[in-house]
């Protein structure tokens, strides 16, 4: 735990303290994105797909998605970022992964609280209808981020082209993960395939927590956590089996 805590402190110093604005950018980025989405879609539609508040609708889709996307990306680069420290016997690759995971997860949880509280205060929106569902959605997003990021730790080192492949493969996720629409509005012939996108479950569960009248009974937390656990275990096995090869390639 002391090593992981030291890794978190190093991450704080290098990622936030040295850049102008520091931690403010972590809040400014989602606020700017949600504001832009709200302005653009309010010009085209009279009301969002759920409720009457555009910022709340897009925040409930964007915030959990960005938690997954940003945290998994940071974890994927954890070994490269901590390469100088991995030469010390007390520092292992799992310390590098967990240090980045915990710090960036806490950052996104703080950002989510600030943005949701800001929307509630500015627009007079009621508080969370189901706080348990909000926590469950954030837990699913965090589990997916840890699993995918751990597997990417291996792939990014062993396959140099994986960085580009991953960026291209995941760009459609921003569109098909329920940020702009509800799963219930998807035509039946596409809904079956879309259900297997774990992130559509995450955004729907987050909206279940934010909206009293929204009850997506099709959401399966077991499916999401199962996918996250499977990918995480696969990543751990590959990292353990090829640890010497990975250190030589860094």
């Amino acid at each position: 735990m002391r090593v992981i805590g030291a890794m978190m402190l190093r991450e704080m110093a290098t990622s936030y303290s040295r850049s102008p604005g520091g931690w403010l950018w972590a809040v400014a980025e989602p606020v700017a994105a949600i504001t832009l989405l709200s302005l653009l879609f309010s010009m085209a539609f009279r009301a969002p797909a759920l409720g009457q508040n555009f910022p709340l609708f897009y925040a409930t889709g964007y915030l959990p998605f960005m938690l997954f996307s940003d945290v998994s990306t940071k974890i994927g680069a954890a070994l490269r970022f901590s390469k100088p420290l991995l030469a010390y016997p007390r520092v292992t690759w799992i310390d590098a992964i967990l240090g980045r995971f915990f710090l960036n997860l806490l950052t996104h949880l703080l950002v989510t609280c600030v943005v949701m509280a800001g929307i509630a205060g500015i627009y007079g929106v009621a508080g969370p209808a189901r706080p348990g569902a909000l926590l469950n959605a954030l837990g699913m997003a965090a589990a997916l981020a840890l699993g995918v990021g751990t597997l990417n730790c291996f792939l990014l080192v062993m396959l140099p082209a994986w960085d580009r492949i991953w960026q291209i493969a995941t760009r459609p996720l921003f569109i098909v993960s329920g940020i702009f629409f509800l799963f219930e509005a998807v035509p039946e012939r596409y809904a079956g395939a879309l259900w297997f996108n774990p992130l559509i479950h995450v955004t729907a569960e987050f909206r279940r927590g934010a909206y009293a009248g929204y009850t997506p009974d099709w959401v399966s937390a077991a499916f999401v956590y199962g996918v996250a656990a499977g990918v995480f275990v696969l990543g751990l096995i590959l990292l353990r089996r090829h640890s010497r090869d990975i250190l030589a390639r860094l």
Side-chain angles (χ1 to χ4, degrees):
M1 294 303 296
R2 292 177 62 187
V3 175
I4 294 173
M7 300 292 279
M8 292 174 66
L9 291 174
R10 176 177 178 266
E11 174 86 7
M12 292 170 62
T14 54
S15 297
Y16 297 101
S17 299
R18 294 181 182 178
S19 60
W23 293 88
L24 290 177
W25 287 112
V27 179
E29 182 181 354
V31 168
I34 293 165
T35 302
L36 181 61
L37 289 173
S38 300
L39 288 174
L40 291 176
F41 283 92
S42 63
M43 295 177 184
F45 303 99
R46 298 182 62 182
L50 185 65
Q52 299 296 320
N53 188 282
F54 280 98
L56 179 62
F57 179 76
Y58 294 116
T60 52
Y62 184 83
L63 291 172
F65 175 84
M66 283 309 298
L67 188 155
F68 161 78
S69 179
D70 188 56
V71 174
S72 63
T73 300
K74 294 287 180 61
I75 295 173
L79 298 186
R80 292 178 178 176
F81 180 78
S82 301
K83 176 185 175 180
L85 298 179
L86 294 176
Y88 293 95
R90 291 288 301 273
V91 180
T92 65
W93 48 266
I94 194 66
D95 296 325
I97 290 173
L98 291 180
R100 278 211 138 186
F101 170 69
F102 287 128
L103 177 62
N104 288 285
L105 174 61
L106 291 173
T107 300
H108 276 274
L109 292 178
L110 177 62
V111 169
T112 298
C113 291
V114 170
V115 173
M116 294 297 289
I119 291 174
I122 294 172
Y123 297 97
V125 178
R130 304 178 186 91
L134 290 178
L135 293 176
N136 186 36
L138 294 172
M140 290 192 290
L144 283 172
L146 179 59
V148 172
T150 301
L151 181 58
N152 277 347
C153 265
F154 170 78
L155 294 173
L156 286 171
V157 176
M158 301 301 288
L159 301 174
W162 181 251
D163 191 12
R164 291 291 183 183
I165 295 172
W166 178 250
Q167 290 181 18
I168 295 171
T170 54
R171 278 174 185 167
L173 283 179
F174 188 74
I175 300 172
V176 300
S177 295
I179 298 174
F180 309 103
F181 61 89
L182 296 178
F183 178 81
E184 291 79 1
V186 177
E188 188 173 348
R189 57 180 176 174
Y190 302 119
L194 188 61
W195 187 91
F196 289 96
N197 174 10
L199 291 172
I200 199 79
H201 297 258
V202 174
T203 54
E205 183 71 1
F206 198 83
R207 286 186 174 129
R208 185 210 297 268
Y211 292 90
Y214 185 56
T215 54
D217 297 328
W218 51 268
V219 170
S220 174
F223 168 70
V224 178
Y225 285 117
V227 171
V231 177
F232 179 59
V233 170
L234 177 61
L236 289 179
I237 292 172
L238 291 172
L239 285 169
R240 183 180 178 85
R241 181 169 297 180
H242 300 276
S243 56
R244 292 184 180 179
D245 225 2
I246 291 170
L247 292 175
R249 288 170 177 257
L250 285 175

